[in-house]
Amino acid sequence: MEAGSLPVALELVAGGGGPGLSPEKRAALGASLQLLQRDYRFQRVWFWGSIQGVRGAYYIAEGLGPDRAAPRSRLYSLNCVEWSLLPPATEEVVALAEQLKGRFQGDPSFEYDYPEMNAEDAERLFKDGKEPVIKEEARLVATIEQIDRAVGIVPRGAFVKTPLGSVQENRSFEGLSLTEAKKLSSYFHFTEPVNLKNKTLLEKADLDPSTDFLDSLEHDIPQGSWTVQLEKGGAVVVLRSLLWLGLTFYHVPMTKQYGYVYFGTGEKNVDLPFML
């Protein structure tokens, strides 16, 4: 969610009774995120959320440039004041992190032991025959990448794709109507589309290429992995992910107010298909 609208946005997503942020942490974030944007010369800074470890929590921010679809710079803090830049999330690191189970420790330098895996997975991950060392910092950036890909969402029409291929905020976006805001098809995954590429030409005929360039939530697997609720007397639409528990998205219909935040342990709910 936007750093500038953080106090209001956190109040709008607080209805679920999740951990949230203390007043002290909110005040520290309000000041440090502005300095972060200035020092790194980001066009925008988003507060992504936090991952709670056994001995402490990681607070995450994302810095954006002119092209909103370009890879984002990710930073973490242990105290909401001092920030450290995370390395890029490579496919290899994401694959390695998927093998790790259990809670985060809260120590960026903590080193993980690899679990038992079959020969095929071992050959794919350890190409040179040696097990690489994976620290918690690498697991952290891989988990953030996984969550962004799976459940990082935006309303339909909030972003437009230019003829040159870059993605920018839609200045004419004034929010979804209340009727549209209650539909999963009105929200898109803000990442490289997968299902869109498999649509037939007939299915693409009704799509606007400038706004419908992402995958919508209506075909997410498993079905039922999102809950849609009206809160604050019907003034706010809130979506919560059951796949990554702790991810909450909000949108105030007929306004430009929207965003998502994650407060959780960084563990995927792999039992969801058996719970539905």
Side-chain angles (χ1 to χ4, degrees):
M1 54 179 58
E2 283 282 353
S5 60
L6 194 59
V8 175
L10 288 174
E11 289 296 329
L12 293 177
V13 300
L21 291 171
S22 67
E24 294 79 12
K25 290 286 192 295
R26 294 189 189 194
L29 277 174
S32 67
L33 290 178
Q34 291 183 22
L35 296 174
L36 194 68
Q37 182 171 355
R38 183 199 68 185
D39 294 344
Y40 284 89
R41 299 185 179 181
F42 295 134
Q43 279 203 353
R44 291 288 179 89
V45 170
W46 287 354
F47 175 64
W48 185 88
S50 78
I51 292 179
Q52 183 66 45
V54 175
R55 298 194 291 267
Y58 295 103
Y59 301 93
I60 314 298
E62 293 186 326
L64 291 81
D67 184 355
R68 297 295 193 258
R72 302 164 210 164
S73 298
R74 296 185 173 111
L75 305 97
Y76 75 92
S77 174
L78 301 175
N79 56 11
C80 294
V81 177
E82 300 168 318
W83 295 88
S84 301
L85 191 64
L86 285 165
T90 63
E91 292 299 328
E92 181 184 17
V93 170
V94 172
L96 289 171
E98 286 178 343
Q99 303 295 322
L100 302 174
K101 308 297 180 185
R103 293 281 301 275
F104 279 78
Q105 296 300 307
D107 177 7
S109 61
F110 180 82
E111 295 182 0
Y112 284 93
D113 294 324
Y114 284 95
E116 294 292 329
M117 62 181 73
N118 59 45
E120 183 179 338
D121 286 340
E123 184 179 355
R124 176 171 57 88
L125 296 175
F126 312 135
K127 295 178 181 178
D128 58 358
K130 295 191 301 182
E131 292 188 10
V133 173
I134 184 166
K135 294 186 176 182
E136 184 153 282
E137 186 181 69
R139 184 191 179 190
L140 179 65
V141 72
T143 301
I144 297 169
E145 179 72 16
Q146 285 179 276
I147 294 174
D148 268 345
R149 288 181 187 178
V151 290
I153 60 177
V154 294
R156 181 181 183 272
F159 291 85
V160 293
K161 192 169 188 177
T162 68
L164 297 177
S166 64
V167 175
Q168 299 178 357
E169 291 171 12
N170 185 359
R171 296 180 182 274
S172 63
F173 176 70
E174 295 295 337
L176 302 170
S177 67
L178 182 58
T179 303
E180 291 297 316
K182 292 187 286 186
K183 300 177 182 177
L184 283 180
S185 58
S186 297
Y187 301 96
F188 291 158
H189 289 282
F190 198 40
T191 186
E192 188 69 25
V194 177
N195 297 330
L196 186 65
K197 298 175 182 178
N198 299 326
K199 288 183 179 290
T200 65
L201 291 176
L202 189 61
E203 290 174 318
K204 292 180 179 179
D206 296 329
L207 301 181
D208 184 342
S210 65
T211 56
D212 298 319
F213 58 93
L214 300 168
D215 288 334
S216 75
L217 270 59
E218 61 180 331
H219 300 301
D220 278 13
I221 299 173
Q223 289 283 336
S225 62
W226 290 96
T227 65
V228 182
Q229 297 171 310
L230 292 177
E231 298 187 0
K232 306 291 183 184
V236 183
V237 178
V238 175
L239 279 68
R240 292 187 174 88
S241 172
L242 301 179
L243 186 63
W244 288 93
L245 296 170
L247 189 289
T248 306
F249 171 90
Y250 80 95
H251 176 47
V252 182
M254 306 303 294
T255 75
K256 296 182 178 183
Q257 298 181 57
Y258 68 87
Y260 66 86
V261 67
Y262 178 82
F263 291 112
T265 60
E267 296 174 285
K268 188 177 182 179
N269 183 15
V270 294
D271 296 326
L272 179 61
F274 306 102
M275 298 166 63
L276 296 173

